Coordinates of all heavy atoms in Angstrom, one line a residue:
G10 N 9.8 -0.8 -2.6 CA 9.5 0.0 -1.5 C 8.5 1.0 -1.8 O 7.4 1.3 -1.2
D11 N 8.4 1.4 -3.1 CA 7.6 2.5 -3.6 C 6.1 2.0 -3.7 O 5.1 2.7 -3.7 CB 7.9 3.0 -5.0 CG 9.2 3.9 -4.9 OD1 9.5 4.3 -3.7 OD2 9.9 4.1 -5.9
I12 N 5.9 0.6 -3.7 CA 4.6 0.2 -3.9 C 4.0 -0.3 -2.5 O 2.9 -0.3 -2.4 CB 4.5 -1.1 -4.9 CG1 3.2 -1.4 -5.4 CG2 5.2 -2.3 -4.3 CD1 3.1 -2.3 -6.6
V13 N 4.8 -0.4 -1.6 CA 4.3 -1.0 -0.3 C 3.4 0.0 0.4 O 2.2 -0.4 0.8 CB 5.6 -1.4 0.7 CG1 5.0 -1.6 2.1 CG2 6.3 -2.5 0.1
I14 N 3.8 1.2 0.6 CA 2.8 2.2 1.4 C 1.6 2.5 0.6 O 0.5 2.4 1.2 CB 3.7 3.5 1.8 CG1 4.7 3.1 2.8 CG2 2.7 4.5 2.2 CD1 5.8 4.2 2.9
P15 N 1.6 2.8 -0.7 CA 0.4 3.0 -1.4 C -0.5 1.8 -1.5 O -1.6 1.7 -1.5 CB 0.8 3.6 -2.8 CG 2.2 4.1 -2.7 CD 2.7 3.3 -1.5
G16 N 0.3 0.7 -1.5 CA -0.4 -0.7 -1.5 C -1.1 -0.9 -0.4 O -2.3 -1.6 -0.3
L17 N -0.7 -0.6 0.8 CA -1.3 -0.7 2.1 C -2.6 0.1 2.2 O -3.7 -0.4 2.7 CB -0.3 -0.3 3.3 CG 0.7 -1.3 3.5 CD1 1.7 -0.7 4.6 CD2 0.1 -2.6 4.0
L18 N -2.5 1.3 1.6 CA -3.7 2.2 1.6 C -4.8 1.6 0.7 O -6.0 1.6 0.9 CB -3.3 3.7 1.1 CG -4.5 4.5 1.1 CD1 -5.1 4.8 2.3 CD2 -4.0 5.9 0.4
T19 N -4.3 1.1 -0.5 CA -5.2 0.5 -1.4 C -5.9 -0.8 -0.8 O -7.1 -1.0 -0.9 CB -4.5 0.1 -2.8 OG1 -4.0 1.2 -3.3 CG2 -5.5 -0.6 -3.8
A20 N -5.1 -1.7 -0.1 CA -5.7 -2.8 0.5 C -6.7 -2.3 1.7 O -7.7 -3.0 1.8 CB -4.4 -3.6 1.2
Y21 N -6.3 -1.3 2.4 CA -7.2 -0.7 3.5 C -8.5 -0.2 2.8 O -9.6 -0.4 3.3 CB -6.6 0.4 4.3 CG -7.5 0.9 5.2 CD1 -7.9 0.2 6.4 CD2 -8.1 2.2 5.0 CE1 -8.9 0.8 7.3 CE2 -9.0 2.7 5.8 CZ -9.3 2.0 7.0 OH -10.3 2.6 7.9
S22 N -8.4 0.4 1.6 CA -9.6 0.9 0.9 C -10.4 -0.3 0.5 O -11.7 -0.1 0.7 CB -9.2 1.6 -0.4 OG -8.4 2.8 0.1
A23 N -9.9 -1.4 0.0 CA -10.7 -2.6 -0.4 C -11.5 -3.2 0.9 O -12.6 -3.6 0.8 CB -9.8 -3.6 -1.0
Y24 N -10.7 -3.2 2.1 CA -11.2 -3.6 3.4 C -12.4 -2.8 3.8 O -13.3 -3.4 4.1 CB -10.1 -3.7 4.3 CG -10.6 -3.7 5.7 CD1 -10.9 -4.9 6.4 CD2 -10.5 -2.6 6.6 CE1 -11.3 -5.1 7.7 CE2 -11.0 -2.7 7.9 CZ -11.3 -3.9 8.4 OH -11.7 -3.9 9.8
F25 N -12.2 -1.5 3.7 CA -13.2 -0.6 4.2 C -14.5 -0.8 3.3 O -15.5 -0.8 3.8 CB -12.7 0.8 4.1 CG -13.7 1.8 4.8 CD1 -13.6 2.0 6.2 CD2 -14.6 2.5 4.0 CE1 -14.5 2.9 6.7 CE2 -15.4 3.3 4.6 CZ -15.5 3.5 5.9
D26 N -14.3 -0.9 2.0 CA -15.4 -1.0 1.1 C -16.2 -2.4 1.4 O -17.3 -2.4 1.4 CB -14.9 -1.0 -0.4 CG -14.7 0.4 -1.0 OD1 -15.5 1.2 -0.6 OD2 -13.9 0.4 -1.8
T27 N -15.4 -3.4 1.6 CA -15.9 -4.8 1.7 C -16.9 -4.8 3.1 O -17.9 -5.3 3.1 CB -14.9 -5.8 1.8 OG1 -14.2 -5.8 0.5 CG2 -15.6 -7.2 1.9
L28 N -16.2 -4.2 4.1 CA -16.9 -4.3 5.4 C -18.0 -3.1 5.6 O -19.0 -3.3 6.2 CB -15.9 -4.2 6.7 CG -15.1 -5.6 6.7 CD1 -14.2 -5.4 8.0 CD2 -16.0 -6.7 6.8
G29 N -17.6 -2.0 5.1 CA -18.6 -0.8 5.3 C -19.6 -0.7 4.4 O -20.6 -0.1 4.7
H30 N -19.4 -1.3 3.2 CA -20.5 -1.2 2.1 C -20.7 -2.5 1.5 O -20.3 -2.7 0.2 CB -20.1 0.0 1.1 CG -19.9 1.2 1.7 ND1 -20.8 2.0 2.2 CD2 -18.7 1.9 2.0 CE1 -20.4 3.1 2.8 NE2 -19.0 3.0 2.5
P31 N -21.0 -3.6 2.1 CA -21.1 -4.9 1.5 C -22.1 -5.0 0.3 O -23.2 -4.4 0.6 CB -21.6 -5.8 2.7 CG -22.1 -5.0 3.8 CD -21.5 -3.6 3.5
G32 N -21.6 -5.5 -0.7 CA -22.5 -5.6 -1.9 C -22.5 -4.4 -2.8 O -23.2 -4.4 -3.8
G33 N -22.0 -3.3 -2.2 CA -22.0 -2.0 -2.9 C -20.9 -1.9 -3.9 O -19.8 -2.6 -3.9
T34 N -20.8 -0.7 -4.6 CA -19.7 -0.5 -5.4 C -18.4 -0.1 -4.5 O -18.6 0.6 -3.6 CB -20.0 0.7 -6.5 OG1 -21.1 0.5 -7.2 CG2 -18.8 1.1 -7.3
K35 N -17.3 -0.7 -5.0 CA -16.1 -0.5 -4.1 C -15.4 0.9 -4.5 O -14.3 0.8 -5.1 CB -15.2 -1.6 -4.3 CG -15.8 -3.1 -4.1 CD -15.1 -3.9 -3.2 CE -15.7 -5.1 -2.9 NZ -16.9 -5.2 -2.1
W36 N -16.1 2.0 -4.1 CA -15.6 3.3 -4.5 C -14.2 3.7 -4.0 O -13.3 4.3 -4.7 CB -16.5 4.4 -4.1 CG -17.8 4.4 -5.0 CD1 -19.0 4.1 -4.6 CD2 -17.9 4.7 -6.4 NE1 -19.9 4.1 -5.7 CE2 -19.1 4.5 -6.8 CE3 -16.8 5.0 -7.3 CZ2 -19.5 4.7 -8.2 CZ3 -17.3 5.2 -8.7 CH2 -18.6 5.1 -9.1
Y37 N -14.0 3.4 -2.6 CA -12.6 3.6 -2.2 C -11.5 2.9 -2.8 O -10.4 3.5 -3.1 CB -12.6 3.3 -0.6 CG -13.4 4.3 0.2 CD1 -14.7 4.0 0.6 CD2 -12.9 5.6 0.5 CE1 -15.4 4.8 1.4 CE2 -13.7 6.5 1.2 CZ -15.0 6.1 1.6 OH -15.6 7.0 2.4
F38 N -11.7 1.7 -3.2 CA -10.7 0.9 -3.9 C -10.5 1.4 -5.3 O -9.4 1.5 -5.7 CB -11.1 -0.6 -4.0 CG -10.2 -1.5 -4.6 CD1 -9.0 -1.8 -4.2 CD2 -10.5 -2.0 -6.0 CE1 -8.0 -2.6 -4.8 CE2 -9.6 -2.8 -6.6 CZ -8.4 -3.2 -6.0
I39 N -11.6 1.7 -6.0 CA -11.6 2.3 -7.4 C -10.7 3.5 -7.4 O -9.9 3.9 -8.1 CB -12.9 2.4 -7.9 CG1 -13.5 1.0 -8.2 CG2 -12.9 3.2 -9.3 CD1 -15.0 1.1 -8.5
V40 N -11.1 4.4 -6.4 CA -10.4 5.8 -6.4 C -9.0 5.6 -6.0 O -8.1 6.3 -6.4 CB -11.2 6.7 -5.4 CG1 -10.4 8.0 -5.0 CG2 -12.6 7.1 -5.9
S41 N -8.7 4.7 -5.1 CA -7.3 4.5 -4.7 C -6.4 4.0 -5.9 O -5.3 4.5 -6.1 CB -7.2 3.5 -3.6 OG -6.0 3.2 -3.1
C42 N -7.0 3.1 -6.6 CA -6.2 2.6 -7.9 C -6.1 3.7 -8.8 O -4.9 3.8 -9.4 CB -7.1 1.3 -8.4 SG -6.9 -0.1 -7.5
L43 N -7.2 4.6 -9.1 CA -7.1 5.5 -10.1 C -6.0 6.6 -9.5 O -5.2 7.1 -10.3 CB -8.3 6.2 -10.4 CG -9.4 5.3 -11.1 CD1 -10.7 6.0 -11.2 CD2 -8.9 5.0 -12.5
S44 N -6.1 6.9 -8.4 CA -5.2 7.9 -7.7 C -3.7 7.4 -7.9 O -2.8 8.2 -8.2 CB -5.5 8.1 -6.2 OG -6.6 8.7 -6.2
Y45 N -3.4 6.1 -7.7 CA -2.1 5.6 -7.8 C -1.7 5.7 -9.3 O -0.5 6.1 -9.6 CB -2.1 4.1 -7.5 CG -0.8 3.4 -7.5 CD1 0.2 3.5 -6.5 CD2 -0.3 2.8 -8.6 CE1 1.4 2.9 -6.5 CE2 1.1 2.2 -8.7 CZ 1.8 2.3 -7.7 OH 3.0 1.9 -7.7
A46 N -2.6 5.4 -10.2 CA -2.2 5.5 -11.7 C -1.9 7.0 -12.0 O -0.9 7.3 -12.7 CB -3.4 5.1 -12.5
I47 N -2.7 7.9 -11.4 CA -2.3 9.4 -11.6 C -1.0 9.7 -11.0 O -0.3 10.4 -11.7 CB -3.5 10.2 -11.1 CG1 -4.8 10.1 -11.9 CG2 -3.1 11.8 -11.0 CD1 -6.0 10.6 -11.4
G48 N -0.8 9.3 -9.9 CA 0.5 9.6 -9.2 C 1.7 9.0 -10.0 O 2.8 9.6 -10.2
L49 N 1.5 7.8 -10.6 CA 2.5 7.2 -11.3 C 2.8 8.0 -12.7 O 4.0 8.1 -13.1 CB 2.1 5.7 -11.8 CG 3.2 4.7 -12.1 CD1 4.3 4.7 -11.0 CD2 2.6 3.4 -12.3
A50 N 1.7 8.4 -13.3 CA 1.9 9.3 -14.5 C 2.5 10.6 -14.1 O 3.5 10.9 -14.9 CB 0.5 9.5 -15.0
I51 N 2.3 11.3 -13.0 CA 2.9 12.5 -12.6 C 4.5 12.2 -12.3 O 5.4 12.9 -12.7 CB 2.3 13.0 -11.3 CG1 0.9 13.5 -11.8 CG2 3.2 14.1 -10.8 CD1 0.2 13.9 -10.5
T52 N 4.7 11.0 -11.8 CA 6.2 10.5 -11.5 C 6.9 10.4 -12.7 O 8.1 10.8 -12.9 CB 6.2 9.2 -10.6 OG1 5.5 9.4 -9.4 CG2 7.6 8.9 -10.3
Y53 N 6.2 9.7 -13.7 CA 6.8 9.5 -15.1 C 7.1 10.9 -15.7 O 8.1 11.1 -16.4 CB 6.0 8.6 -15.8 CG 6.6 8.1 -17.1 CD1 7.8 7.3 -17.0 CD2 6.2 8.6 -18.4 CE1 8.4 7.0 -18.3 CE2 6.9 8.3 -19.5 CZ 7.9 7.4 -19.5 OH 8.6 7.0 -20.5
G54 N 6.1 11.8 -15.7 CA 6.1 13.1 -16.3 C 7.4 13.9 -15.6 O 8.1 14.6 -16.3
A55 N 7.5 13.7 -14.4 CA 8.6 14.5 -13.8 C 10.0 13.9 -14.0 O 11.0 14.7 -14.3 CB 8.5 14.3 -12.1
L56 N 10.0 12.6 -14.2 CA 11.2 12.0 -14.8 C 11.6 12.4 -16.1 O 12.7 12.7 -16.3 CB 11.0 10.4 -14.7 CG 12.1 9.5 -15.4 CD1 13.3 9.6 -14.6 CD2 11.5 8.1 -15.6
L57 N 10.7 12.5 -16.9 CA 10.9 13.0 -18.4 C 11.3 14.4 -18.3 O 12.0 14.9 -19.1 CB 9.7 12.7 -19.2 CG 9.4 11.3 -19.6 CD1 8.1 11.1 -20.4 CD2 10.5 10.6 -20.3
G58 N 10.5 15.2 -17.5 CA 10.8 16.6 -17.5 C 12.2 17.1 -16.9 O 12.8 18.0 -17.3
M59 N 12.6 16.4 -16.0 CA 13.8 16.7 -15.1 C 14.9 15.8 -15.6 O 16.1 16.2 -15.2 CB 13.6 16.6 -13.7 CG 12.6 17.5 -13.1 SD 12.5 17.3 -11.3 CE 10.8 18.0 -11.0
N60 N 14.7 14.8 -16.4 CA 15.9 13.9 -16.9 C 16.6 13.3 -15.7 O 17.8 13.1 -16.0 CB 16.7 14.7 -17.8 CG 16.7 14.0 -19.2 OD1 16.0 13.1 -19.5 ND2 17.4 14.7 -20.2
I61 N 16.0 13.0 -14.6 CA 16.7 12.4 -13.5 C 15.7 11.7 -12.7 O 14.6 11.9 -12.6 CB 17.4 13.5 -12.6 CG1 18.3 12.8 -11.6 CG2 16.5 14.3 -12.0 CD1 19.3 13.8 -10.8
A62 N 16.1 10.5 -12.1 CA 15.3 9.7 -11.3 C 14.5 10.5 -10.3 O 15.1 11.3 -9.6 CB 16.1 8.5 -10.8
Q63 N 13.3 10.1 -10.1 CA 12.5 10.7 -9.0 C 12.0 9.9 -8.0 O 11.8 8.6 -8.3 CB 11.1 11.3 -9.7 CG 11.4 12.4 -10.7 CD 12.0 13.6 -10.1 OE1 11.4 14.1 -9.1 NE2 13.1 14.1 -10.7
P64 N 12.0 10.2 -6.7 CA 11.3 9.4 -5.7 C 9.8 9.2 -5.9 O 9.1 10.2 -5.8 CB 11.7 10.0 -4.4 CG 11.9 11.5 -4.8 CD 12.3 11.5 -6.2
A65 N 9.4 8.0 -6.3 CA 8.0 7.9 -6.7 C 7.1 8.1 -5.5 O 5.9 8.6 -5.6 CB 7.8 6.4 -7.1
L66 N 7.5 7.8 -4.2 CA 6.6 8.0 -3.1 C 6.2 9.6 -3.0 O 5.2 9.9 -2.4 CB 7.3 7.6 -1.7 CG 7.2 6.1 -1.5 CD1 8.0 5.6 -0.2 CD2 5.8 5.6 -1.6
L67 N 7.1 10.5 -3.5 CA 6.8 11.8 -3.4 C 5.6 12.3 -4.2 O 4.9 13.3 -3.7 CB 8.1 12.7 -4.0 CG 8.0 14.2 -3.9 CD1 8.0 14.7 -2.5 CD2 9.2 14.8 -4.8
Y68 N 5.3 11.5 -5.1 CA 4.2 11.7 -6.0 C 3.0 10.8 -5.6 O 1.8 11.1 -5.7 CB 4.4 11.6 -7.5 CG 5.5 12.6 -7.8 CD1 6.8 12.2 -7.9 CD2 5.3 14.0 -8.0 CE1 7.9 13.1 -8.3 CE2 6.3 14.9 -8.3 CZ 7.6 14.4 -8.3 OH 8.7 15.3 -8.7
L69 N 3.2 9.6 -5.4 CA 2.2 8.4 -5.2 C 1.4 8.7 -4.0 O 0.2 8.6 -3.8 CB 2.9 7.1 -5.2 CG 3.5 6.6 -6.5 CD1 4.3 5.3 -6.3 CD2 2.5 6.6 -7.5
V70 N 2.1 9.0 -2.8 CA 1.4 9.0 -1.4 C 0.5 10.1 -1.5 O -0.8 10.1 -1.1 CB 2.4 9.0 -0.3 CG1 1.7 9.3 1.0 CG2 3.3 7.7 -0.2
P71 N 0.9 11.4 -1.9 CA -0.1 12.6 -1.9 C -1.3 12.2 -2.8 O -2.4 12.5 -2.4 CB 0.7 13.7 -2.3 CG 2.0 13.3 -1.9 CD 2.3 11.8 -2.2
C72 N -1.1 11.7 -3.9 CA -2.2 11.4 -4.9 C -3.2 10.3 -4.2 O -4.4 10.4 -4.3 CB -1.7 10.9 -6.2 SG -1.0 12.2 -7.2
C73 N -2.6 9.2 -3.6 CA -3.5 8.2 -3.1 C -4.2 8.8 -1.9 O -5.5 8.5 -1.8 CB -2.7 7.0 -2.7 SG -2.1 6.0 -4.2
L74 N -3.5 9.4 -1.0 CA -4.3 10.0 0.2 C -5.3 11.0 -0.3 O -6.4 11.1 0.3 CB -3.2 10.7 1.0 CG -2.4 9.7 2.0 CD1 -1.4 10.6 2.8 CD2 -3.3 9.0 2.9
A75 N -5.0 11.9 -1.2 CA -6.0 12.9 -1.7 C -7.2 12.2 -2.2 O -8.3 12.7 -2.0 CB -5.5 13.8 -2.8
G76 N -7.0 11.2 -2.9 CA -8.1 10.5 -3.5 C -9.1 9.9 -2.5 O -10.2 10.0 -2.4
V77 N -8.4 9.2 -1.6 CA -9.3 8.5 -0.5 C -9.9 9.4 0.5 O -11.0 9.2 0.8 CB -8.3 7.4 0.2 CG1 -9.0 6.8 1.5 CG2 -8.0 6.3 -0.7
I78 N -9.1 10.4 0.9 CA -9.6 11.4 1.8 C -10.8 12.3 1.1 O -11.8 12.6 1.7 CB -8.6 12.3 2.4 CG1 -7.6 11.5 3.2 CG2 -9.1 13.6 3.0 CD1 -6.4 12.3 3.8
G79 N -10.6 12.6 -0.2 CA -11.6 13.2 -0.9 C -12.9 12.5 -1.1 O -13.9 13.0 -0.9
T80 N -12.8 11.2 -1.4 CA -13.9 10.3 -1.4 C -14.7 10.3 -0.1 O -15.8 10.3 0.0 CB -13.5 8.9 -1.9 OG1 -12.9 9.0 -3.1 CG2 -14.7 8.0 -2.0
A81 N -13.8 10.2 1.0 CA -14.4 10.1 2.4 C -15.2 11.3 2.7 O -16.2 11.3 3.3 CB -13.4 9.8 3.3
L82 N -14.6 12.5 2.4 CA -15.2 13.7 2.7 C -16.6 13.9 1.9 O -17.6 14.4 2.3 CB -14.3 15.0 2.3 CG -13.2 15.2 3.3 CD1 -12.2 16.2 2.7 CD2 -13.8 15.7 4.6
K83 N -16.5 13.5 0.6 CA -17.7 13.6 -0.3 C -18.8 12.8 0.3 O -19.9 13.1 0.3 CB -17.3 13.2 -1.7 CG -18.6 13.4 -2.6 CD -18.1 13.2 -4.0 CE -19.1 13.5 -5.0 NZ -20.1 12.7 -5.2
R84 N -18.4 11.6 0.9 CA -19.5 10.5 1.3 C -19.7 10.7 2.8 O -20.7 10.1 3.3 CB -18.9 9.1 1.1 CG -18.7 8.8 -0.4 CD -18.3 7.4 -0.5 NE -19.6 6.6 -0.3 CZ -19.4 5.2 -0.5 NH1 -18.3 4.8 -1.1 NH2 -20.5 4.5 -0.4
G85 N -19.0 11.7 3.4 CA -19.4 12.0 4.8 C -18.8 10.9 5.8 O -19.4 10.6 6.8
E86 N -17.9 10.1 5.4 CA -17.3 9.0 6.1 C -15.9 9.2 6.6 O -15.2 8.3 6.8 CB -17.5 7.8 5.3 CG -18.9 7.4 4.9 CD -18.9 6.2 4.0 OE1 -17.8 5.9 3.3 OE2 -19.9 5.6 3.9
L87 N -15.4 10.4 6.6 CA -13.9 10.7 6.9 C -13.6 10.1 8.3 O -12.5 9.4 8.5 CB -13.6 12.2 6.9 CG -12.2 12.5 7.1 CD1 -11.2 11.8 6.1 CD2 -11.9 14.0 7.1
K88 N -14.4 10.4 9.3 CA -14.1 9.9 10.7 C -14.1 8.3 10.6 O -13.3 7.6 11.2 CB -15.1 10.3 11.7 CG -14.7 9.9 13.1 CD -15.5 10.6 14.1 CE -15.0 10.3 15.5 NZ -15.6 11.2 16.5
A89 N -15.0 7.7 10.0 CA -15.1 6.2 9.9 C -13.8 5.7 9.1 O -13.3 4.7 9.5 CB -16.4 5.7 9.2
V90 N -13.4 6.3 8.0 CA -12.2 5.9 7.4 C -11.0 6.1 8.2 O -10.2 5.2 8.2 CB -12.1 6.6 6.0 CG1 -10.8 6.4 5.3 CG2 -13.2 6.2 5.0
W91 N -10.9 7.2 8.8 CA -9.7 7.5 9.6 C -9.5 6.6 10.8 O -8.4 6.2 11.1 CB -9.8 9.0 10.0 CG -8.5 9.4 10.7 CD1 -8.3 9.7 12.0 CD2 -7.3 9.8 10.0 NE1 -6.9 10.1 12.2 CE2 -6.3 10.2 10.9 CE3 -6.8 9.8 8.7 CZ2 -5.0 10.5 10.8 CZ3 -5.5 10.1 8.4 CH2 -4.6 10.5 9.4
T92 N -10.7 6.4 11.4 CA -10.6 5.5 12.7 C -10.6 4.0 12.4 O -10.5 3.2 13.4 CB -11.7 5.9 13.7 OG1 -12.9 5.7 13.1 CG2 -11.6 7.4 14.1
G93 N -10.9 3.5 11.3 CA -10.9 2.1 10.9 C -12.2 1.5 11.3 O -12.4 0.3 11.4
R94 N -13.3 2.3 11.5 CA -14.6 1.7 11.8 C -15.3 1.4 10.5 O -16.3 2.0 10.2 CB -15.4 2.7 12.7 CG -14.7 2.8 14.1 CD -15.4 3.6 15.0 NE -16.8 3.2 15.3 CZ -17.1 2.5 16.3 NH1 -16.2 2.1 17.3 NH2 -18.4 2.1 16.3
A95 N -15.0 0.5 9.8 CA -15.4 0.0 8.5 C -16.7 -0.5 8.6 O -17.6 -0.3 7.6 CB -14.6 -0.9 7.8
G96 N -17.2 -1.1 9.6 CA -18.6 -1.6 9.7 C -19.7 -0.7 10.0 O -20.8 -0.9 10.0
I97 N -19.3 0.6 10.3 CA -20.2 1.6 10.7 C -20.0 2.8 9.8 O -19.1 3.5 9.9 CB -20.0 1.9 12.2 CG1 -20.2 0.8 13.0 CG2 -21.0 3.1 12.6 CD1 -19.9 1.0 14.6
A98 N -20.9 3.0 9.0 CA -20.9 4.3 8.2 C -21.2 5.4 8.9 O -21.7 5.4 10.1 CB -21.9 4.1 7.0
A99 N -20.9 6.7 8.4 CA -21.1 7.9 9.2 C -22.4 8.1 9.8 O -22.5 8.6 10.9 CB -20.6 9.0 8.3
D100 N -23.4 7.8 8.9 CA -24.8 8.1 9.4 C -25.2 7.2 10.5 O -25.9 7.6 11.6 CB -25.8 7.8 8.3 CG -25.7 8.9 7.2 OD1 -25.3 10.0 7.6 OD2 -26.0 8.6 6.1
S101 N -24.9 5.9 10.5 CA -25.2 5.0 11.6 C -24.4 5.2 12.8 O -24.8 5.0 13.9 CB -25.1 3.5 11.2 OG -23.7 3.3 10.8
L102 N -23.1 5.8 12.7 CA -22.4 6.1 13.8 C -23.0 7.4 14.4 O -23.1 7.3 15.8 CB -21.0 6.5 13.3 CG -20.0 6.8 14.4 CD1 -19.7 5.7 15.3 CD2 -18.7 7.3 13.8
R103 N -23.5 8.3 13.8 CA -24.3 9.4 14.3 C -25.6 8.9 15.0 O -25.8 9.4 16.2 CB -24.6 10.4 13.1 CG -25.1 11.7 13.7 CD -25.3 12.8 12.7 NE -24.2 12.7 11.7 CZ -24.3 12.5 10.3 NH1 -25.4 12.1 9.8 NH2 -23.3 12.6 9.6
D104 N -26.3 8.0 14.4 CA -27.4 7.5 15.0 C -27.1 6.8 16.4 O -27.9 6.9 17.3 CB -28.2 6.5 14.1 CG -28.8 7.2 12.9 OD1 -28.9 8.4 12.9 OD2 -29.0 6.5 12.0
E105 N -26.0 6.1 16.4 CA -25.7 5.4 17.6 C -25.3 6.3 18.9 O -25.8 6.1 19.9 CB -24.5 4.4 17.4 CG -24.8 3.3 16.6 CD -23.4 2.4 16.5 OE1 -22.4 2.7 17.0 OE2 -23.5 1.4 15.8
R106 N -24.7 7.4 18.5 CA -24.3 8.4 19.5 C -25.7 9.0 20.1 O -25.8 9.3 21.3 CB -23.5 9.5 19.0 CG -22.2 9.0 18.8 CD -21.2 10.2 18.3 NE -19.9 9.6 18.2 CZ -19.1 9.9 17.0 NH1 -19.5 10.8 16.2 NH2 -17.9 9.5 16.9
E107 N -26.6 9.3 19.2 CA -27.8 10.0 19.7 C -28.6 8.9 20.4 O -29.3 9.4 21.4 CB -28.6 10.5 18.4 CG -28.0 11.6 17.6 CD -28.8 11.9 16.4 OE1 -29.7 11.2 16.0 OE2 -28.3 12.8 15.6
N108 N -28.6 7.7 20.2 CA -29.3 6.7 21.0 C -28.7 6.2 22.1 O -29.1 5.4 23.0 CB -29.8 5.5 20.1 CG -30.7 5.9 18.9 OD1 -31.4 6.9 19.1 ND2 -30.6 5.3 17.9
G109 N -27.4 6.6 22.4 CA -26.5 6.1 23.6 C -26.0 4.9 23.4 O -25.6 4.3 24.4
N110 N -25.9 4.2 22.3 CA -25.4 2.9 22.0 C -24.1 2.8 21.5 O -23.5 1.8 21.1 CB -26.3 2.1 21.1 CG -27.7 2.0 21.7 OD1 -27.9 1.9 22.7 ND2 -28.7 1.9 20.8
H111 N -23.3 4.0 21.4 CA -22.0 4.1 21.0 C -20.9 3.4 21.8 O -20.8 3.7 23.1 CB -21.6 5.5 20.7 CG -20.3 5.7 20.1 ND1 -19.9 5.4 18.9 CD2 -19.1 6.3 20.7 CE1 -18.6 5.6 18.7 NE2 -18.1 6.2 19.7
Q112 N -20.1 2.5 21.1 CA -19.1 1.9 21.9 C -17.8 2.1 21.3 O -17.5 1.8 20.1 CB -19.3 0.2 21.9 CG -20.5 -0.1 22.7 CD -20.8 -1.7 22.5 OE1 -20.0 -2.3 21.8 NE2 -21.8 -2.1 23.1
V113 N -16.9 2.8 22.0 CA -15.6 3.2 21.5 C -14.7 2.0 21.3 O -14.7 1.1 22.1 CB -14.9 4.2 22.4 CG1 -13.5 4.6 21.9 CG2 -15.8 5.5 22.6
G114 N -14.0 1.9 20.1 CA -13.1 0.9 19.9 C -13.6 -0.4 19.3 O -13.0 -1.4 19.2
V115 N -15.0 -0.6 19.1 CA -15.6 -1.8 18.6 C -15.8 -1.7 17.1 O -16.4 -0.8 16.7 CB -16.9 -2.0 19.5 CG1 -17.6 -3.3 18.9 CG2 -16.7 -2.1 20.8
V116 N -15.3 -2.7 16.4 CA -15.4 -2.7 15.0 C -16.3 -3.8 14.8 O -16.0 -5.0 15.2 CB -14.0 -2.9 14.3 CG1 -14.3 -3.2 12.8 CG2 -13.1 -1.9 14.6
E117 N -17.4 -3.4 14.1 CA -18.5 -4.5 13.8 C -18.3 -5.0 12.4 O -17.9 -4.4 11.5 CB -19.9 -4.0 14.0 CG -20.0 -3.6 15.5 CD -21.4 -2.9 15.6 OE1 -22.3 -3.4 15.1 OE2 -21.5 -1.9 16.3

């Protein structure tokens, strides 16, 4: 169970990278994997420090979300990541609105 929720976010990150930035570096996927590893290390550290089993999701989910959301904020694509509009980067979404060609709910 501890791998399913962060795994879905990692899979979504790979999907967003593939459709939103074809041929480019898969930054969301890389950051998501690194964030998972950091969360796992924190979980292990908490296990050793407290000498009792820890709920991994308590550490994994915030780390994974922080990494993906931080990357989206830095790239100016938070709305595109949040709404699932992987085919439209933030700049082209803004251009469509200015030109009146914006279609709500359409994923290209």
